[in-house]
Amino acid sequence: MAIIFHSVPMPAKPLINGGEFGIEGSLISVLLDGLLLLLVSLYFLYKTKYKNKRHLTDI
């Protein structure tokens, strides 16, 4: 039986590679996720605000 996955030891840099939790626990990943959430939230807020103003002028 062949081994499909091979475990490779990672250097102990938990802020960069997330440590034992994995890449989704790294500081870089958390910051990028927060930035993405902020950008998506601002996009939908702007879209909603612009859409409401456009409908008010059409009346």
Side-chain angles (χ1 to χ4, degrees):
M1 184 173 204
I3 297 175
I4 297 173
F5 296 105
H6 179 68
S7 178
V8 178
M10 299 288 289
K13 295 181 181 179
L15 290 177
I16 296 173
N17 64 16
E20 292 180 14
F21 191 74
I23 191 67
E24 59 273 1
S26 70
L27 182 62
I28 295 170
S29 178
V30 170
L31 291 175
L32 288 176
D33 287 343
L35 179 63
L36 181 64
L37 180 65
L38 177 67
L39 290 175
V40 170
S41 299
L42 289 175
Y43 170 76
F44 281 111
L45 285 173
Y46 175 76
K47 185 177 175 183
T48 304
K49 192 173 185 179
Y50 177 73
K51 186 176 179 182
N52 288 340
K53 283 185 178 181
R54 190 176 71 190
H55 284 293
L56 290 175
T57 57
D58 289 342
I59 295 176

